Amino acid sequence: MTIRLGCIADDFTGATDLANNLVRAGMRVVQTIGVPKQPPAADVDAIVVALKSRTIAPQDAVAQSLEALRWLQAEGATQIYFKYCSTFDSTAEGNIGPVTEALMAALGCDFTIATPAFPDNQRTVFKGYLFVGDLLLSESGMQKHPLTPMTDANLVRVLQAQTRRKVGLIDHSVVARGEAAIRERVARLRADGVGIAVVDAVSNDDLLRLGPALADLPLVTAGSGVAIGLPANLGLAPTSTASRLPPPGGLQAVVSGSCSQATQRQVANFIASKRPALALDPLRLSTDSDAVAKALAWAEPLLADGPVLVYSTAEPSAVKSVQDRLGVEAAGAMVERSLAEIARGLVERGVRQLVVAGGETSGACVQALGISQLQIGAQIDPGVPWCHAMADAAGGKGLHVALKSGNFGTDDFFSKAFGALE
Ligand code: ADP
């Protein structure tokens, strides 16, 4: 068994986003958390290695990315996809430029592309400028991001500041004319010594026209949008079998540590549907060392009758008062730890279909469950697929998990997710 496409993502939810797009375009995909020690858990066409390298020191991001590259090459990957954020999140030092440069050197390739375009998500690139909806990146709010402020929307300039390779542009007039025109422009740019070309794309049609022109590049760097045009190069077309997971079984539960508005509505909807729900009080968690055990004792007798919900989800005023008492970081870490222990306890009690709400909460739960690889299934709502994973907490056996970050999903997500699995 060898994979075709090997992907390196610079954060966890971005990896899932990419995996989801590849599955929808017809690939069978496993996402790994960090660089795995073992071979992939399933027979797949693509693997997405999720790193947490977006804002770490450039030399660390390079080292981790090269380790991922070596593992993917050993698994047979013939093309490498470096995935970053669709808002091109990076600091003045990187890490998009340094990682791209290091991957090019390791792969011995002198040319690649860069485009965060993801039209389905309102990210478009025109004349090298990145738009978020109707706004330039630098006017979209991203100019004030706490870790990666993006104050320039011109991606050629932004990327050139991060790399020694010459950066060029394949503009929309070329992309609109399709594969032959793109290939011709690539040849011209190469002759001019350009190593990385930013590519315009304002629609999915642009990305689908770009796809075939990338077929023989050893390295592609992009947001998740470009993924829709690559599986066809391998003779793959959208099919329901790409998202097929092992059959579901076991008990059902939801753990929610997200306080985003969509999650608040989802919690209210679940409670209104008369399903059992237990609210965790962060202040109680901080003083009662039995709080986790009590939550599990509450859940255990209810599980046989259908899904239960354990949540810390609260309104902004309640969250603020907890943060004022405990500190923002300490409150977050404590709630995440408690929910992760509860998730593990639920799985140890037979839960095999688990929905987790919250990006950070999901990271904590995946770690506590002892999950290192996720096979990606069909999406429940845009950006949130069911996944199947081997988990230490399940005695090394399989479990279905859906990891829902913040504002994703319809109001009835917590109920509908289980229906979608059947
Ligand atoms: P989202 O995807 O909605 O941003 P995350 O899980 O990433 O959700 O982040 C939510 C953060 O808020 C986590 O660190 C979580 O532990 C913390 N948190 C959850 N509930 C509460 C609460 N009631 N009070 C204070 N902090 C909370």
Side-chain angles (χ1 to χ4, degrees), residues 257-260 282 312 314 319 322 331-332 335-336 358-361 405-406:
S258 160
C259 300
S260 299
S312 67
V319 173
V322 168
V335 173
E336 282 167 34
E360 295 299 326
T361 308
S405 72

Side-chain angles (χ1 to χ4, degrees), residues 256-261 263 280-282 311-315 318-320 322-323 328-329 331-337 339 357-362 404-407:
S256 176
S258 160
C259 300
S260 299
Q261 287 180 9
T263 310
L280 294 180
D281 174 358
Y311 66 101
S312 67
T313 307
E315 291 174 52
V319 173
K320 172 130 196 343
V322 168
Q323 289 174 334
V328 175
E329 296 238 325
M334 187 198 61
V335 173
E336 282 167 34
R337 200 171 48 243
L339 287 171
E360 295 299 326
T361 308
S362 292
K404 187 197 83 74
S405 72
N407 274 318

Side-chain angles (χ1 to χ4, degrees), residues 161-177:
Q162 298 177 22
T163 178
R164 285 162 298 189
R165 298 267 183 176
K166 188 168 165 189
V167 180
L169 175 68
I170 302 176
D171 76 12
H172 192 257
S173 65
V174 174
V175 175
R177 280 185 285 131

Side-chain angles (χ1 to χ4, degrees), residues 271-351:
I271 294 169
S273 74
K274 304 272 190 298
R275 298 299 321 162
L278 178 71
L280 294 180
D281 174 358
L283 294 178
R284 180 88 52 83
L285 288 176
S286 70
T287 54
D288 180 359
S289 58
D290 288 336
V292 167
K294 285 177 188 159
L296 290 169
W298 168 85
E300 193 158 10
L302 300 169
L303 286 167
D305 296 326
V308 304
L309 165 67
V310 180
Y311 66 101
S312 67
T313 307
E315 291 174 52
S317 60
V319 173
K320 172 130 196 343
S321 90
V322 168
Q323 289 174 334
D324 288 346
R325 294 275 292 275
L326 302 176
V328 175
E329 296 238 325
M334 187 198 61
V335 173
E336 282 167 34
R337 200 171 48 243
S338 302
L339 287 171
E341 282 174 30
I342 289 167
R344 191 179 61 214
L346 288 168
V347 169
E348 286 166 354
R349 284 159 182 75
V351 167

